[in-house]
Amino acid sequence: MIINYIFYIDFAIFSVFVTLFITEIMGGVMILIGWDRYRKGILDYIVPVWEVTGTFAAFWVVASDFAFPKILIPVADIFPWMIMLFLILFVARNSTIVFAEFIIKKGWLDERKLYSGYAFSTLLIAIVVLIILSGIIGGTGINLSTLSFSAGSWALNAGGWLFLIGAVIIALGLAPVFYNVIDLKKITLPFTALGIVISTLSFYILSPGTFSAMVIIPVIMTILIPVLYLIQPLRMIVVNKLFFIGWGSIDIFSMNFMVYPDAFGGKLPVDAFTTSGPMTGMFYAISLAGIIILGILVIFYAFAVKRKSIETIEHPV
């Protein structure tokens, strides 16, 4: 069996990007539900990391262009409106947080409104991305012969909705862990467990042909996070930002079986669209350079905020 190293390297980059973005999603949720209570702890993390997330996103797009040059244009043809919406929301996310960093209050516009705008934009981006991912995993709403996506067909498939709902519930469950919000610790295990059950069911409905016992790996890795958090002596480990991002990246990476060797509900063999020839060397060179530079950036950032990551955000109800 030939190992497709290009796919696995590209998926590893994707896994880090997704994990970083998930931490922003969780921060956005916390901003919206408790600005006054959790503001400082959330902003201490989000304000510097949003640029790292954006850089990793750009790195993954460039790497994917070299890894799968034959499929990127067809994917863009399938999701033109979704991609356009993603880009508009991405601009809104970036602009609101940039202004929020410099504006405390100017007329009716204040810091809270701007960060709420950032949070809403980030959550809407997440919804768009989840819809696209559900299509890539199961082919939901996608017609490969015409390279088109039908929102109506997607909406009629329960798997897509469960995929979306499950991911949101997991984010709600893990947010108190990542931001160390002690007064919400009671919800972290039940929310995460419920989200895992719903997500696992969605994987089976979306693509029963690629669903396998390997799903137990991400299930165990995900549920261990709130379990470790509830064990007092181990809490300081799991709330460490570097640990959480590393663990989350491995967790996401373990889900690669959902799109490899076949994506779009088993209809598209990934190996057939993987780059070959001179492009292979370029992919490895770009990936190596990007991994080294961004890896150092993430590690440097994580250690720079290490003290803040273990502070307890606890307020009386």
Side-chain angles (χ1 to χ4, degrees):
M1 180 180 178
I2 299 176
I3 299 176
N4 189 336
Y5 291 105
I6 290 177
F7 166 79
Y8 287 116
I9 292 172
D10 188 73
F11 199 86
I13 297 169
F14 172 76
S15 300
V16 178
F17 157 61
V18 169
T19 303
L20 289 169
F21 187 60
I22 288 173
T23 63
E24 285 196 51
I25 295 170
M26 295 188 296
V29 171
M30 300 302 293
I31 286 173
L32 294 176
I33 67 174
W35 169 260
D36 294 325
R37 303 177 72 182
Y38 312 124
R39 173 189 172 279
K40 185 181 185 303
I42 307 304
L43 297 190
D44 282 344
Y45 172 79
I46 283 180
V47 168
V49 84
W50 70 272
E51 295 180 85
V52 179
T53 305
T55 304
F56 246 103
F59 174 39
W60 174 66
V61 170
V62 172
S64 297
D65 188 33
F66 281 86
F68 312 107
K70 297 178 183 178
I71 195 63
L72 288 187
I73 297 302
V75 169
D77 287 337
I78 293 172
F79 299 108
W81 292 102
M82 301 297 288
I83 293 173
M84 181 187 72
L85 182 58
F86 171 88
L87 292 174
I88 292 173
L89 291 170
F90 194 73
V91 171
R93 162 193 177 269
N94 292 355
S95 58
T96 49
I97 195 169
V98 166
F99 281 114
E101 288 184 44
F102 298 101
I103 296 177
I104 302 300
K105 183 170 180 61
K106 188 174 181 64
W108 62 272
L109 193 62
D110 58 25
E111 183 186 44
R112 180 172 185 170
K113 290 186 177 68
L114 287 168
Y115 277 115
S116 294
Y118 156 80
F120 274 118
S121 300
T122 301
L123 293 177
L124 289 175
I125 289 173
I127 292 173
V128 172
V129 170
L130 287 169
I131 292 173
I132 293 175
L133 288 178
S134 68
I136 294 174
I137 291 171
T140 310
I142 295 174
N143 187 327
L144 291 176
S145 61
T146 60
L147 296 179
S148 60
F149 173 74
S150 170
S153 297
W154 181 91
L156 292 175
N157 188 302
W161 287 105
L162 291 174
F163 184 72
L164 183 63
I165 294 169
V168 171
I169 294 176
I170 290 174
L172 288 171
L174 296 182
V177 177
F178 188 74
Y179 291 103
N180 198 17
V181 183
I182 296 297
D183 55 356
L184 294 179
K185 69 178 182 179
K186 291 182 179 180
I187 74 166
T188 182
L189 185 56
F191 270 60
T192 304
L194 177 61
I196 288 173
V197 171
I198 295 173
S199 294
T200 303
L201 179 60
S202 76
F203 289 156
Y204 179 77
I205 295 174
L206 285 171
S207 186
T210 59
F211 188 85
S212 74
M214 290 182 66
V215 74
I216 195 66
I217 298 174
V219 165
I220 292 175
M221 290 193 69
T222 304
I223 200 65
L224 273 176
I225 295 176
V227 170
L228 293 173
Y229 184 69
L230 293 175
I231 301 174
Q232 180 65 41
L234 301 177
R235 182 173 299 161
M236 306 311 283
I237 298 175
V238 76
V239 300
N240 180 277
K241 298 293 187 288
L242 185 59
F243 174 87
F244 193 103
I245 292 170
W247 186 275
S249 298
I250 296 172
D251 192 356
I252 298 295
F253 181 79
S254 70
M255 301 181 195
N256 63 74
F257 68 91
M258 297 304 301
V259 293
Y260 185 81
D262 301 299
F264 295 93
K267 300 174 184 176
L268 195 70
V270 175
D271 289 340
F273 291 90
T274 303
T275 191
S276 59
M279 289 282 281
T280 302
M282 293 297 295
F283 170 79
Y284 286 128
I286 290 173
S287 299
L288 179 61
I291 290 170
I292 292 173
I293 294 172
L294 290 176
I296 292 173
L297 179 63
V298 170
I299 293 173
F300 176 79
Y301 165 75
F303 278 108
V305 298
K306 184 177 180 180
R307 291 184 179 179
K308 292 182 182 298
S309 70
I310 61 174
E311 289 177 358
T312 301
I313 309 169
E314 188 173 15
H315 301 268
V317 178

